[in-house]
C-alpha cells in the first residue's frame, strides 16, 4: 500500500477515530485449558494470545536463583500475523521485545515468594497491526493474574505517537509506518508508575507531554477492560458455587 497523502483529514484518522481514541478493545481471561493462566486480547486488528505457566520448578537448574523466581517472557510473531509471511522463529526484534516485556512486568510480581522457581510467559502475536508489544503486555498481565500469581497491580500497555503533526493515541499500522513518532508505554495503573517507555521518531517537549497525557488516558481505559475481563471470568464462577 502507498502512503495516503494525509493520515488525518478533518480531525479524523484513516479508520475514522479522533486523535484521542483507542481502537476497539476486547480482553478475555482464562481462554486456554492447559496453561496455568491465559488471556486473549484484540485491539483493533491486533490479536494476541498469552499463556502463563508457573510458578514451577526452574529447568535447567543452573538458571535457578536461590532467592527469587525467574520471570521468562517470549514474544513471538506467527508467520501469518503480518502481510508478508514472517520467517518463523526468534529474530533481533522479538528478542528485544521479549526483554523489554519482561522488564515491564517484573515490578508487579512478588518474585521473592518463589525462590528457585520459574514463571514462563508466552506471548503469541496471531495478527499484527502496530502496538503488539504493548498489547502483549496488557494480555500478559491478565494472564499472570488469571494464573493466580500474587501481584501488586496489573500492567497496562498502549502506544502513542504522532502523524501529520498531530499527537495520537494508539497508532495503527499506517500511522506507525508513515507517522513521525511512535512511543510504546506500559504503566502500573494504580500508582501510575511507568515500567516501559520506548520511542522512535521525534517529539517537541510540548508534544511529548501531550503524548504522555494521552497515554495515561488510554491506560485507564485498558486497565478498566483488564479488570472487567478478570471479573467476568471469576465472578460468575463464585456465584455458581453459592
Ligand atoms: P509494535 O508491534 O510493538 O508496534 P513495531 O513498532 O516494531 O512493534 O512494529 C509495528 C508493526 O509493524 C507491527 O505491529 C507489525 O504490524 C509490523 N511488523 C513488525 N515486524 C514485522 C515483520 N517482520 N514483517 C512485517 N510486518 C512487521
Amino acid at each position: 500500500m502507498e502512503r495516503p497523502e494525509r493520515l488525518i483529514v478533518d480531525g479524523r484518522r484513516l479508520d475514522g477515530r479522533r486523535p484521542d481514541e483507542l481502537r476497539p478493545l476486547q480482553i478475555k481471561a482464562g481462554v486456554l485449558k492447559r496453561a496455568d493462566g491465559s488471556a486473549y486480547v484484540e485491539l483493533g486488528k491486533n490479536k494476541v494470545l498469552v499463556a502463563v505457566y508457573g510458578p514451577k520448578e526452574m529447568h535447567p537448574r543452573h538458571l535457578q536463583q536461590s532467592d527469587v523466581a525467574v520471570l521468562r517472557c517470549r514474544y513471538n510473531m506467527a508467520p501469518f500475523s503480518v502481510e508478508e509471511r514472517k520467517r518463523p522463529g526468534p529474530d533481533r526484534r522479538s528478542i528485544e521485545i521479549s526483554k523489554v516485556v519482561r522488564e515491564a512486568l517484573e515490578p508487579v510480581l512478588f518474585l521473592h515468594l518463589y525462590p528457585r522457581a520459574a514463571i514462563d510467559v508466552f506471548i503469541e502475536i496471531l495478527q499484527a497491526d502496530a502496538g503488539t508489544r504493548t498489547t502483549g503486555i496488557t494480555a500478559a498481565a491478565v494472564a499472570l493474574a488469571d494464573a493466580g500469581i500474587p501481584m501488586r497491580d496489573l500492567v497496562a500497555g498502549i502506544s502513542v505517537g504522532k502523524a501529520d503533526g498531530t499527537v495520537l493515541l494508539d497508532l495503527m499500522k499506517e500511522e506507525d509506518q508513515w507517522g513521525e513518532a511512535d512511543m510504546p508505554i506500559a504503566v502500573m495503573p494504580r500508582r501510575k508508575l511507568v515500567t516501559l517507555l520506548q520511542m522512535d521518531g521525534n517529539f517537541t517537549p510540548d508534544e511529548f507531554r501531550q503524548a504522555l497525557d494521552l497515554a495515561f488516558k488510554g491506560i485507564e481505559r485498558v486497565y478498566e477492560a483488564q479488570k472487567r475481563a478478570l471479573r467476568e471470568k471469576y465472578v460468575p464462577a463464585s456465584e455458581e458455587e453459592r
Side-chain angles (χ1 to χ4, degrees):
M1 188 176 152
E2 273 184 40
R3 188 197 196 281
E5 201 175 315
R6 291 166 67 191
L7 294 167
I8 308 213
V9 181
D10 296 333
R12 298 277 185 172
R13 300 154 72 174
L14 294 179
D15 60 0
R17 278 182 294 158
R18 295 194 186 281
D20 63 350
E21 275 181 78
L22 286 182
R23 290 174 283 186
L25 172 64
Q26 284 201 36
I27 307 183
K28 223 169 145 35
V31 293
L32 298 173
K33 208 169 182 148
R34 290 186 197 90
D36 294 319
S38 58
Y40 175 69
V41 177
E42 288 189 7
L43 177 66
K45 289 186 237 165
N46 289 309
K47 299 186 179 191
V48 177
L49 185 62
V50 174
V52 167
Y53 294 87
K56 57 182 183 150
E57 197 179 334
M58 164 69 108
H59 290 289
R61 293 183 59 139
H62 73 268
L63 293 180
Q64 287 183 357
Q65 299 270 331
S66 59
D67 52 345
V68 287
V70 175
L71 178 67
R72 295 187 291 194
C73 292
R74 189 189 73 184
Y75 166 101
N76 180 54
M77 268 188 149
F80 49 79
S81 66
V82 288
E83 215 153 318
E84 300 264 321
R85 177 181 180 278
K86 187 207 165 275
R87 215 169 144 247
D91 49 25
R92 279 183 52 178
R93 176 177 172 275
S94 64
I95 292 166
E96 180 224 313
I97 294 179
S98 298
K99 172 183 180 285
V100 297
V101 165
R102 172 172 53 77
E103 290 169 348
L105 294 168
E106 262 172 354
V108 290
L109 297 172
F110 297 95
L111 294 175
H112 63 274
L113 293 179
Y114 308 101
R116 283 184 289 280
I119 299 172
D120 285 329
V121 176
F122 296 95
I123 300 175
E124 300 293 331
I125 309 302
L126 307 177
Q127 194 166 282
D129 195 65
T132 59
R133 77 193 63 201
T134 44
T135 310
I137 289 168
T138 297
V142 173
L144 285 162
D146 181 49
I149 296 171
M151 294 162 77
R152 294 182 172 85
D153 194 355
L154 292 171
V155 184
I158 202 69
S159 96
V160 285
K162 180 172 59 161
D164 286 359
T166 306
V167 176
L168 303 173
L169 178 62
D170 184 24
L171 302 193
M172 59 180 164
K173 182 79 180 70
E174 292 78 2
E175 294 163 343
D176 177 278
Q177 194 173 341
W178 294 309
E180 298 98 66
D182 171 25
M183 185 165 82
I185 296 187
V187 174
M188 294 164 63
R190 282 201 307 186
R191 291 170 58 200
K192 295 194 175 4
L193 290 176
V194 175
T195 65
L196 171 137
L197 190 144
Q198 298 182 290
M199 196 179 105
D200 277 335
N202 65 76
F203 278 134
T204 65
D206 260 2
E207 287 168 345
F208 180 77
R209 277 183 281 271
Q210 217 181 312
L212 211 51
D213 279 350
L214 263 192
F216 274 98
K217 286 200 182 103
I219 289 293
E220 277 308 310
R221 298 269 322 278
V222 174
Y223 185 45
E224 287 308 314
Q226 287 176 307
K227 288 189 291 187
R228 204 178 316 125
L230 288 163
R231 272 199 303 271
E232 272 166 16
K233 179 167 179 218
Y234 289 100
V235 175
S238 59
E239 278 172 2
E240 272 168 24
E241 281 164 19
R242 273 190 229 133

